[in-house]
Amino acid sequence: MVKATQFGGYRKGGVIACRETILEKRAMSSRGNNQAGGYDVAIVGGGHNGLVAAAYLARAGLSVVVLEKNAVVGGAAMTEEFHPGFRNSVAAYTVSLLSPHVIRDLDLAAHGLKIVERPAANFWPVDGERGLLMPYGLAARQSAIAQFSKRDAERLPAYDAALDRAANVLRDLVLETPPNAGGGLVEAIRAGKVGRRMLGLSLDDKRLVLDLFTKSAADFLDQWFESDVVKGAFAFDGIVGAYAAPSTPGTAYVLLHHCFGEVNGKAGVWGHALGGMGAITQAMAAAARGAGAEIRTSAQVAMLRADDRKVTGVVLASGEEVRARAVASAIPPKLLFRAYVPEHLVSDADRRRFTAIKTGSGTFRMNVALAELPDFTCRPGHSPGLPHHGSGIVIGPTLGYLERAYLDARATGWSRDPVVEMLIPSTLDTTLAPPGRHVASLFVQHVAPRLPKGRSWSDPAEKEAFADVVIATVTRHAPNFAGSVIARQVLSPLDLEERFGLVDGDIFHGQLSLDQLWAARPVLGAANYRMPVPGLYLCGSGAHPGGGVTGLPGRNAAREMIADLKPGRLGALVRRGFMG
């Protein structure tokens, strides 16, 4: 009996087709489809999920073309020179959620990907004298927290254990296709499988999962800790990419979403891809090409191509038609149904549902070139090698600060005291800046996706004014920071939308709110990656399990597409490989 251990790869031994034969058949299939004037699958968008889907589909023997509007692939996960001699990740900026299954299945290390670990997790400057440096390791973290609350330090092991148990549940769910509302027996079986897993949890863990999926980060953390500094540190993960206050219901899940990752097999560790985030997507592109996928850049899709009943390919802005048996969209579903799906293919009700998806991360991105490292008042020194410089540096010292930042943005358009996460990847990767110089990524919250009172992010003065606020916010804690800035790259929510297709600047392709998760992502009735248009699939972050550079929406969508496009025995074998 032939058995698959991973998607596209087979156990040695037994009566199996050799790899050379499989590759030859794959090449013949691809040539046949191209000679016929079409592909099996056209993928709209060459971001990380689109590339992951392309690699898996091509490995299964399908002919695939990826169509990317920009001159380079990668979408928001790309690296570029933003000032002479200074390179950095443009939008996405750190590594932890990238699925080890994707890394393994696509052999990304063999395609040049190397991830190094941060020397510490995060550093929170609190005031002129105090700062919380969160190292790795339970005992070290307890020691750091004890400076603010001995009781909180004592509670940390139980908190960590609880989050680990919940994250283990999530790690299983993110690999699977959610049950689809309105489906048949297959969907009932999927729902039953999840239900049995939940029933198998202890009562305490059922309560824990319920809390994390329904409560606010603030309410959840109030059950564990007393220090406003400690609660603020943990609550930060609950507002990342969520235009919400830590008191907003559902932010406890966002906190959990950022806790299930790992780097180099170490859970809870954060890292940096040498060469920036573009190194990840370049490795994915190499894996896809190696499997036989075609990748076209500067290929802007104008609309889907369709007959009277189904999608038959895409039409490019150049007028060129690309025929395909199926189309997979790696762009946000709200943008897909707003601008690309022909009117006759979808009901008015479905179109309204998709175009009403809640979007907006409340985020603002900056990259800065630095003459020297920041010298923090609470932790003096700006020589290379200090662990806090290689960590995530978060200006968001208390739970109350996080709350006020959101409320201020809702009232005025942007926070006068924003939450700033700064990474200085050049402390780990000397290829990014000239000797003695550095680059920093600043991921900032909160800003309104659309400004009030007639103001607009299209106004350069508005964008630069808030960028000045961001620099000043960091400088309050590191007095040399403003003077060390050589150059800056500034991306407002509008810039993120125009450049990367992120509607309202939403880094997750749709908020991770309670009504847009799991079986309701992107909308109820379309959770199994198949859109309510025959031949159209969703493979980007707008699908389950959501945003972050995971690669899982692309992987999961590819599995479902193979089920539809390769229903025979070989297709069943490679689909089963996802479970190995």
Side-chain angles (χ1 to χ4, degrees), residues 121-177:
N122 284 310
F123 166 56
W124 285 265
V126 176
D127 52 35
E129 298 179 352
R130 299 180 303 160
L132 172 59
L133 177 65
M134 197 75 81
Y136 296 123
L138 177 58
R141 293 169 67 232
Q142 283 183 284
S143 178
I145 287 174
Q147 299 175 49
F148 297 90
S149 168
K150 291 183 179 180
R151 177 185 178 277
D152 288 354
E154 293 170 355
R155 293 285 287 157
L156 183 65
Y159 175 81
D160 279 356
L163 277 191
D164 283 345
R165 295 196 305 273
N168 285 335
V169 174
L170 187 61
R171 288 187 184 100
D172 289 338
L173 291 179
V174 298
L175 296 173
E176 299 177 4
T177 300

CSV table of all heavy atoms in Angstrom, one decimal, residues 121-177:
chain,number,residue,atom,x,y,z
A,121,ALA,N,12.7,38.1,24.1
A,121,ALA,CA,11.4,38.2,23.4
A,121,ALA,C,11.0,39.7,23.2
A,121,ALA,O,11.0,40.1,22.0
A,121,ALA,CB,10.3,37.6,24.3
A,122,ASN,N,10.8,40.5,24.2
A,122,ASN,CA,10.4,41.8,24.1
A,122,ASN,C,10.9,42.7,25.2
A,122,ASN,O,11.3,42.2,26.3
A,122,ASN,CB,8.8,42.0,24.1
A,122,ASN,CG,8.2,41.5,22.8
A,122,ASN,OD1,8.6,42.0,21.7
A,122,ASN,ND2,7.2,40.6,22.9
A,123,PHE,N,11.0,44.0,25.0
A,123,PHE,CA,11.4,45.0,26.0
A,123,PHE,C,10.5,46.1,26.0
A,123,PHE,O,10.1,46.7,25.0
A,123,PHE,CB,12.8,45.5,25.6
A,123,PHE,CG,13.3,46.7,26.3
A,123,PHE,CD1,13.3,46.7,27.7
A,123,PHE,CD2,13.7,47.8,25.6
A,123,PHE,CE1,13.7,47.8,28.4
A,123,PHE,CE2,14.2,48.9,26.3
A,123,PHE,CZ,14.2,49.0,27.7
A,124,TRP,N,9.9,46.4,27.2
A,124,TRP,CA,9.0,47.5,27.4
A,124,TRP,C,9.6,48.6,28.3
A,124,TRP,O,9.8,48.4,29.5
A,124,TRP,CB,7.7,47.0,28.1
A,124,TRP,CG,6.8,46.2,27.3
A,124,TRP,CD1,5.7,46.7,26.6
A,124,TRP,CD2,6.8,44.8,27.1
A,124,TRP,NE1,5.1,45.6,26.0
A,124,TRP,CE2,5.8,44.5,26.2
A,124,TRP,CE3,7.7,43.8,27.5
A,124,TRP,CZ2,5.5,43.2,25.8
A,124,TRP,CZ3,7.5,42.5,27.1
A,124,TRP,CH2,6.4,42.2,26.3
A,125,PRO,N,10.1,49.7,27.7
A,125,PRO,CA,10.4,50.9,28.5
A,125,PRO,C,9.2,51.4,29.2
A,125,PRO,O,8.2,51.7,28.6
A,125,PRO,CB,11.0,51.9,27.5
A,125,PRO,CG,11.2,51.1,26.2
A,125,PRO,CD,10.2,50.0,26.2
A,126,VAL,N,9.3,51.6,30.5
A,126,VAL,CA,8.1,52.0,31.3
A,126,VAL,C,8.2,53.5,31.6
A,126,VAL,O,7.3,54.2,31.4
A,126,VAL,CB,8.0,51.1,32.6
A,126,VAL,CG1,6.8,51.7,33.4
A,126,VAL,CG2,7.8,49.7,32.2
A,127,ASP,N,9.3,53.9,32.2
A,127,ASP,CA,9.5,55.3,32.5
A,127,ASP,C,11.0,55.5,32.5
A,127,ASP,O,11.8,54.7,32.0
A,127,ASP,CB,8.9,55.7,33.9
A,127,ASP,CG,9.3,54.7,35.0
A,127,ASP,OD1,10.4,54.3,35.0
A,127,ASP,OD2,8.4,54.5,35.9
A,128,GLY,N,11.5,56.7,33.1
A,128,GLY,CA,12.9,57.0,33.1
A,128,GLY,C,13.8,56.0,33.8
A,128,GLY,O,15.0,56.0,33.6
A,129,GLU,N,13.2,55.2,34.7
A,129,GLU,CA,14.0,54.3,35.5
A,129,GLU,C,13.7,52.8,35.3
A,129,GLU,O,14.5,52.0,35.5
A,129,GLU,CB,13.9,54.7,37.0
A,129,GLU,CG,14.4,56.1,37.3
A,129,GLU,CD,14.2,56.4,38.8
A,129,GLU,OE1,13.5,55.6,39.5
A,129,GLU,OE2,14.7,57.4,39.3
A,130,ARG,N,12.5,52.5,34.9
A,130,ARG,CA,12.0,51.2,34.9
A,130,ARG,C,11.8,50.7,33.4
A,130,ARG,O,11.3,51.4,32.6
A,130,ARG,CB,10.8,51.0,35.7
A,130,ARG,CG,10.9,51.3,37.2
A,130,ARG,CD,9.6,51.1,37.9
A,130,ARG,NE,8.5,51.9,37.3
A,130,ARG,CZ,7.2,51.6,37.4
A,130,ARG,NH1,6.8,50.6,38.1
A,130,ARG,NH2,6.3,52.4,36.8
A,131,GLY,N,12.1,49.4,33.2
A,131,GLY,CA,11.8,48.8,32.0
A,131,GLY,C,11.6,47.3,32.2
A,131,GLY,O,12.3,46.7,33.1
A,132,LEU,N,10.8,46.7,31.4
A,132,LEU,CA,10.6,45.2,31.5
A,132,LEU,C,11.2,44.5,30.3
A,132,LEU,O,10.7,44.7,29.2
A,132,LEU,CB,9.1,44.9,31.6
A,132,LEU,CG,8.6,43.5,31.6
A,132,LEU,CD1,9.3,42.7,32.7
A,132,LEU,CD2,7.1,43.3,31.6
A,133,LEU,N,12.3,43.8,30.6
A,133,LEU,CA,12.9,43.0,29.5
A,133,LEU,C,12.5,41.6,29.7
A,133,LEU,O,12.8,41.0,30.8
A,133,LEU,CB,14.4,43.1,29.6
A,133,LEU,CG,15.2,42.3,28.5
A,133,LEU,CD1,14.9,42.7,27.1
A,133,LEU,CD2,16.7,42.3,28.8
A,134,MET,N,11.7,41.1,28.8
A,134,MET,CA,11.2,39.7,28.9
A,134,MET,C,12.1,38.7,28.2
A,134,MET,O,12.1,38.7,26.9
A,134,MET,CB,9.8,39.6,28.3
A,134,MET,CG,9.0,38.4,28.7
A,134,MET,SD,8.4,38.6,30.4
A,134,MET,CE,6.9,39.6,30.2
A,135,PRO,N,12.9,38.0,28.9
A,135,PRO,CA,13.8,37.0,28.3
A,135,PRO,C,13.1,35.7,28.0
A,135,PRO,O,11.8,35.6,28.2
A,135,PRO,CB,14.9,36.8,29.4
A,135,PRO,CG,14.1,37.0,30.7
A,135,PRO,CD,13.0,38.0,30.4
A,136,TYR,N,13.8,34.8,27.4
A,136,TYR,CA,13.2,33.4,27.3
A,136,TYR,C,13.5,32.6,28.5
A,136,TYR,O,14.4,32.9,29.3
A,136,TYR,CB,13.8,32.7,26.0
A,136,TYR,CG,13.5,33.4,24.7
A,136,TYR,CD1,14.5,33.9,23.9
A,136,TYR,CD2,12.2,33.7,24.4
A,136,TYR,CE1,14.2,34.5,22.7
A,136,TYR,CE2,11.9,34.3,23.2
A,136,TYR,CZ,12.9,34.7,22.3
A,136,TYR,OH,12.7,35.4,21.2
A,137,GLY,N,12.7,31.6,28.8
A,137,GLY,CA,12.8,30.7,29.9
A,137,GLY,C,12.0,31.2,31.1
A,137,GLY,O,11.9,32.4,31.4
A,138,LEU,N,11.3,30.3,31.7
A,138,LEU,CA,10.3,30.6,32.7
A,138,LEU,C,10.9,31.3,33.9
A,138,LEU,O,10.4,32.3,34.4
A,138,LEU,CB,9.6,29.3,33.2
A,138,LEU,CG,8.6,29.5,34.3
A,138,LEU,CD1,7.5,30.5,33.9
A,138,LEU,CD2,8.0,28.1,34.7
A,139,ALA,N,12.0,30.8,34.4
A,139,ALA,CA,12.6,31.4,35.6
A,139,ALA,C,13.1,32.8,35.4
A,139,ALA,O,12.9,33.7,36.2
A,139,ALA,CB,13.8,30.5,36.1
A,140,ALA,N,13.7,33.0,34.2
A,140,ALA,CA,14.1,34.4,33.9
A,140,ALA,C,13.0,35.3,33.7
A,140,ALA,O,13.0,36.5,34.1
A,140,ALA,CB,15.0,34.3,32.6
A,141,ARG,N,11.9,34.9,33.1
A,141,ARG,CA,10.7,35.7,33.0
A,141,ARG,C,10.1,36.0,34.3
A,141,ARG,O,9.6,37.1,34.6
A,141,ARG,CB,9.7,35.1,32.0
A,141,ARG,CG,10.2,34.9,30.6
A,141,ARG,CD,9.3,34.0,29.7
A,141,ARG,NE,8.0,34.6,29.5
A,141,ARG,CZ,6.9,34.0,29.7
A,141,ARG,NH1,6.9,32.8,30.2
A,141,ARG,NH2,5.7,34.6,29.5
A,142,GLN,N,10.0,35.0,35.2
A,142,GLN,CA,9.5,35.3,36.5
A,142,GLN,C,10.3,36.3,37.3
A,142,GLN,O,9.8,37.2,37.9
A,142,GLN,CB,9.5,34.0,37.4
A,142,GLN,CG,8.4,33.0,37.0
A,142,GLN,CD,8.4,31.8,37.9
A,142,GLN,OE1,9.2,30.9,37.7
A,142,GLN,NE2,7.5,31.8,38.9
A,143,SER,N,11.7,36.3,37.1
A,143,SER,CA,12.5,37.2,37.8
A,143,SER,C,12.3,38.6,37.2
A,143,SER,O,12.2,39.6,38.0
A,143,SER,CB,14.0,36.9,37.6
A,143,SER,OG,14.9,37.8,38.1
A,144,ALA,N,12.0,38.8,35.9
A,144,ALA,CA,11.8,40.1,35.3
A,144,ALA,C,10.4,40.6,35.8
A,144,ALA,O,10.3,41.8,36.2
A,144,ALA,CB,11.8,40.0,33.8
A,145,ILE,N,9.4,39.8,35.9
A,145,ILE,CA,8.1,40.2,36.3
A,145,ILE,C,8.1,40.6,37.8
A,145,ILE,O,7.3,41.5,38.2
A,145,ILE,CB,7.1,39.1,35.9
A,145,ILE,CG1,6.8,39.1,34.4
A,145,ILE,CG2,5.7,39.4,36.6
A,145,ILE,CD1,6.0,38.0,33.9
A,146,ALA,N,8.9,39.9,38.6
A,146,ALA,CA,8.9,40.1,40.0
A,146,ALA,C,9.3,41.5,40.4
A,146,ALA,O,8.9,42.0,41.5
A,146,ALA,CB,9.8,39.1,40.7
A,147,GLN,N,10.0,42.2,39.5
A,147,GLN,CA,10.3,43.6,39.7
A,147,GLN,C,9.1,44.5,39.8
A,147,GLN,O,9.1,45.6,40.4
A,147,GLN,CB,11.3,44.1,38.6
A,147,GLN,CG,12.6,43.4,38.5
A,147,GLN,CD,13.4,43.8,37.3
A,147,GLN,OE1,13.6,45.0,37.1
A,147,GLN,NE2,13.9,42.9,36.5
A,148,PHE,N,8.0,44.0,39.2
A,148,PHE,CA,6.7,44.8,39.2
A,148,PHE,C,5.7,44.2,40.1
A,148,PHE,O,4.8,44.9,40.6
A,148,PHE,CB,6.2,44.9,37.7
A,148,PHE,CG,7.2,45.7,36.9
A,148,PHE,CD1,8.2,45.0,36.2
A,148,PHE,CD2,7.1,47.0,36.8
A,148,PHE,CE1,9.0,45.7,35.4
A,148,PHE,CE2,8.0,47.7,36.0
A,148,PHE,CZ,9.0,47.1,35.3
A,149,SER,N,5.7,42.9,40.3
A,149,SER,CA,4.8,42.2,41.2
A,149,SER,C,5.2,40.8,41.4
A,149,SER,O,5.3,39.9,40.5
A,149,SER,CB,3.4,42.1,40.5
A,149,SER,OG,2.5,41.3,41.2
A,150,LYS,N,5.5,40.5,42.7
A,150,LYS,CA,5.9,39.1,43.1
A,150,LYS,C,4.8,38.2,42.9
A,150,LYS,O,5.0,37.0,42.5
A,150,LYS,CB,6.4,39.1,44.5
A,150,LYS,CG,7.7,39.9,44.7
A,150,LYS,CD,8.2,39.8,46.1
A,150,LYS,CE,9.6,40.5,46.3
A,150,LYS,NZ,10.1,40.4,47.7
A,151,ARG,N,3.6,38.7,43.2
A,151,ARG,CA,2.4,37.8,43.0
A,151,ARG,C,2.2,37.4,41.5
A,151,ARG,O,1.9,36.2,41.2
A,151,ARG,CB,1.1,38.5,43.5
A,151,ARG,CG,-0.2,37.7,43.2
A,151,ARG,CD,-1.4,38.5,43.6
A,151,ARG,NE,-2.6,37.8,43.4
A,151,ARG,CZ,-3.2,37.7,42.2
A,151,ARG,NH1,-2.7,38.3,41.1
A,151,ARG,NH2,-4.3,37.0,42.1
A,152,ASP,N,2.4,38.4,40.6
A,152,ASP,CA,2.3,38.1,39.2
A,152,ASP,C,3.4,37.1,38.7
A,152,ASP,O,3.2,36.2,37.9
A,152,ASP,CB,2.4,39.3,38.4
A,152,ASP,CG,1.2,40.2,38.5
A,152,ASP,OD1,0.2,39.8,39.1
A,152,ASP,OD2,1.2,41.4,38.0
A,153,ALA,N,4.6,37.2,39.3
A,153,ALA,CA,5.7,36.2,39.0
A,153,ALA,C,5.3,34.8,39.4
A,153,ALA,O,5.5,33.9,38.7
A,153,ALA,CB,7.0,36.7,39.7
A,154,GLU,N,4.6,34.7,40.6
A,154,GLU,CA,4.2,33.4,41.1
A,154,GLU,C,3.1,32.8,40.2
A,154,GLU,O,3.0,31.6,40.0
A,154,GLU,CB,3.7,33.6,42.5
A,154,GLU,CG,4.8,33.9,43.5
A,154,GLU,CD,4.2,34.3,44.9
A,154,GLU,OE1,3.0,34.3,45.0
A,154,GLU,OE2,5.0,34.5,45.8
A,155,ARG,N,2.3,33.7,39.6
A,155,ARG,CA,1.1,33.2,38.7
A,155,ARG,C,1.6,32.9,37.3
A,155,ARG,O,0.9,32.2,36.6
A,155,ARG,CB,0.1,34.4,38.6
A,155,ARG,CG,-0.6,34.7,39.9
A,155,ARG,CD,-1.6,33.6,40.3
A,155,ARG,NE,-2.8,33.7,39.4
A,155,ARG,CZ,-3.6,32.6,39.2
A,155,ARG,NH1,-3.4,31.5,39.7
A,155,ARG,NH2,-4.7,32.8,38.4
A,156,LEU,N,2.8,33.3,36.9
A,156,LEU,CA,3.2,33.1,35.6
A,156,LEU,C,3.2,31.7,35.1
A,156,LEU,O,2.8,31.3,34.0
A,156,LEU,CB,4.6,33.8,35.3
A,156,LEU,CG,5.1,33.7,33.9
A,156,LEU,CD1,4.2,34.5,33.0
A,156,LEU,CD2,6.6,34.2,33.8
A,157,PRO,N,3.8,30.7,35.9
A,157,PRO,CA,3.8,29.3,35.4
A,157,PRO,C,2.4,28.8,35.1
A,157,PRO,O,2.2,28.1,34.0
A,157,PRO,CB,4.4,28.5,36.6
A,157,PRO,CG,5.2,29.5,37.3
A,157,PRO,CD,4.5,30.8,37.2
A,158,ALA,N,1.4,29.1,35.9
A,158,ALA,CA,0.0,28.6,35.6
A,158,ALA,C,-0.5,29.3,34.4
A,158,ALA,O,-1.2,28.7,33.6
A,158,ALA,CB,-0.9,28.9,36.8
A,159,TYR,N,-0.2,30.6,34.2
A,159,TYR,CA,-0.7,31.3,33.0
A,159,TYR,C,0.0,30.7,31.7
A,159,TYR,O,-0.7,30.5,30.7
A,159,TYR,CB,-0.3,32.8,33.1
A,159,TYR,CG,-0.6,33.6,31.9
A,159,TYR,CD1,-1.9,34.1,31.7
A,159,TYR,CD2,0.4,34.0,31.0
A,159,TYR,CE1,-2.1,34.9,30.5
A,159,TYR,CE2,0.2,34.8,29.9
A,159,TYR,CZ,-1.1,35.2,29.7
A,159,TYR,OH,-1.4,36.0,28.6
A,160,ASP,N,1.3,30.5,31.8
A,160,ASP,CA,2.0,29.9,30.6
A,160,ASP,C,1.4,28.5,30.3
A,160,ASP,O,1.1,28.2,29.1
A,160,ASP,CB,3.4,29.7,30.9
A,160,ASP,CG,4.2,31.0,30.7
A,160,ASP,OD1,3.6,32.0,30.3
A,160,ASP,OD2,5.4,31.0,31.0
A,161,ALA,N,1.1,27.7,31.3
A,161,ALA,CA,0.6,26.4,31.1
A,161,ALA,C,-0.8,26.5,30.5
A,161,ALA,O,-1.1,25.7,29.5
A,161,ALA,CB,0.5,25.6,32.4
A,162,ALA,N,-1.6,27.4,30.9
A,162,ALA,CA,-3.0,27.6,30.4
A,162,ALA,C,-2.9,28.0,28.9
A,162,ALA,O,-3.6,27.4,28.0
A,162,ALA,CB,-3.7,28.6,31.2
A,163,LEU,N,-2.1,29.0,28.6
A,163,LEU,CA,-1.9,29.4,27.2
A,163,LEU,C,-1.4,28.3,26.3
A,163,LEU,O,-1.8,28.1,25.1
A,163,LEU,CB,-1.1,30.6,27.1
A,163,LEU,CG,-1.7,32.0,27.3
A,163,LEU,CD1,-0.8,33.1,26.9
A,163,LEU,CD2,-3.1,32.1,26.6
A,164,ASP,N,-0.4,27.5,26.8
A,164,ASP,CA,0.1,26.4,26.1
A,164,ASP,C,-1.0,25.4,25.7
A,164,ASP,O,-1.0,24.8,24.6
A,164,ASP,CB,1.2,25.7,26.8
A,164,ASP,CG,2.5,26.4,26.8
A,164,ASP,OD1,2.7,27.4,26.0
A,164,ASP,OD2,3.4,26.1,27.6
A,165,ARG,N,-1.9,25.1,26.7
A,165,ARG,CA,-2.9,24.1,26.4
A,165,ARG,C,-3.9,24.7,25.4
A,165,ARG,O,-4.3,23.9,24.4
A,165,ARG,CB,-3.7,23.8,27.7
A,165,ARG,CG,-2.9,23.1,28.8
A,165,ARG,CD,-3.7,22.5,29.8
A,165,ARG,NE,-4.6,23.4,30.5
A,165,ARG,CZ,-4.3,24.2,31.5
A,165,ARG,NH1,-3.1,24.1,32.0
A,165,ARG,NH2,-5.2,25.0,32.1
A,166,ALA,N,-4.2,25.9,25.5
A,166,ALA,CA,-5.1,26.5,24.5
A,166,ALA,C,-4.5,26.6,23.1
A,166,ALA,O,-5.1,26.4,22.1
A,166,ALA,CB,-5.6,27.9,24.9
A,167,ALA,N,-3.2,26.9,23.1
A,167,ALA,CA,-2.4,27.0,21.8
A,167,ALA,C,-2.4,25.7,21.2
A,167,ALA,O,-2.4,25.6,19.9
A,167,ALA,CB,-1.0,27.6,22.1
A,168,ASN,N,-2.3,24.6,21.9
A,168,ASN,CA,-2.2,23.3,21.3
A,168,ASN,C,-3.5,22.9,20.6
A,168,ASN,O,-3.5,22.3,19.6
A,168,ASN,CB,-2.0,22.2,22.4
A,168,ASN,CG,-0.5,22.2,22.9
A,168,ASN,OD1,0.4,22.6,22.1
A,168,ASN,ND2,-0.2,21.8,24.1
A,169,VAL,N,-4.7,23.4,21.2
A,169,VAL,CA,-6.0,23.2,20.5
A,169,VAL,C,-5.9,24.0,19.2
A,169,VAL,O,-6.4,23.5,18.2
A,169,VAL,CB,-7.1,23.7,21.4
A,169,VAL,CG1,-8.4,23.7,20.7
A,169,VAL,CG2,-7.2,22.8,22.7
A,170,LEU,N,-5.4,25.2,19.3
A,170,LEU,CA,-5.4,26.1,18.1
A,170,LEU,C,-4.5,25.5,17.0
A,170,LEU,O,-4.8,25.6,15.8
A,170,LEU,CB,-5.0,27.5,18.5
A,170,LEU,CG,-5.1,28.6,17.4
A,170,LEU,CD1,-6.5,28.7,16.9
A,170,LEU,CD2,-4.5,29.9,17.9
A,171,ARG,N,-3.3,25.0,17.4
A,171,ARG,CA,-2.4,24.4,16.5
A,171,ARG,C,-3.0,23.3,15.6
A,171,ARG,O,-2.7,23.1,14.5
A,171,ARG,CB,-1.2,23.9,17.2
A,171,ARG,CG,-0.2,25.0,17.7
A,171,ARG,CD,1.1,24.4,18.3
A,171,ARG,NE,1.9,25.5,18.9
A,171,ARG,CZ,1.9,25.7,20.2
A,171,ARG,NH1,1.3,25.0,21.0
A,171,ARG,NH2,2.7,26.7,20.6
A,172,ASP,N,-3.9,22.5,16.2
A,172,ASP,CA,-4.7,21.5,15.5
A,172,ASP,C,-5.7,22.2,14.5
A,172,ASP,O,-5.8,21.8,13.4
A,172,ASP,CB,-5.3,20.5,16.4
A,172,ASP,CG,-4.4,19.6,17.1
A,172,ASP,OD1,-3.2,19.5,16.7
A,172,ASP,OD2,-4.7,19.1,18.2
A,173,LEU,N,-6.4,23.1,15.0
A,173,LEU,CA,-7.5,23.7,14.3
A,173,LEU,C,-7.0,24.5,13.0
A,173,LEU,O,-7.7,24.5,12.0
A,173,LEU,CB,-8.4,24.6,15.1
A,173,LEU,CG,-9.2,24.0,16.2
A,173,LEU,CD1,-9.9,25.1,17.0
A,173,LEU,CD2,-10.2,23.0,15.6
A,174,VAL,N,-5.8,25.1,13.2
A,174,VAL,CA,-5.4,25.9,12.0
A,174,VAL,C,-5.0,25.1,10.9
A,174,VAL,O,-4.9,25.6,9.7
A,174,VAL,CB,-4.2,26.9,12.5
A,174,VAL,CG1,-4.7,27.8,13.6
A,174,VAL,CG2,-3.0,26.1,12.9
A,175,LEU,N,-4.7,23.8,11.1
A,175,LEU,CA,-4.3,22.9,10.0
A,175,LEU,C,-5.5,22.3,9.2
A,175,LEU,O,-5.3,21.7,8.2
A,175,LEU,CB,-3.4,21.8,10.5
A,175,LEU,CG,-2.1,22.2,11.2
A,175,LEU,CD1,-1.4,21.0,11.8
A,175,LEU,CD2,-1.2,22.8,10.1
A,176,GLU,N,-6.7,22.5,9.7
A,176,GLU,CA,-7.8,21.9,9.2
A,176,GLU,C,-8.8,22.8,8.5
A,176,GLU,O,-8.8,24.0,8.8
A,176,GLU,CB,-8.5,21.1,10.3
A,176,GLU,CG,-7.7,20.0,10.9
A,176,GLU,CD,-8.4,19.3,12.0
A,176,GLU,OE1,-9.6,19.6,12.3
A,176,GLU,OE2,-7.7,18.5,12.7
A,177,THR,N,-9.6,22.3,7.6
A,177,THR,CA,-10.6,23.1,6.9
A,177,THR,C,-11.8,23.2,7.9
A,177,THR,O,-12.3,22.1,8.4
A,177,THR,CB,-11.1,22.4,5.6
A,177,THR,OG1,-9.9,22.4,4.8
A,177,THR,CG2,-12.2,23.2,5.0
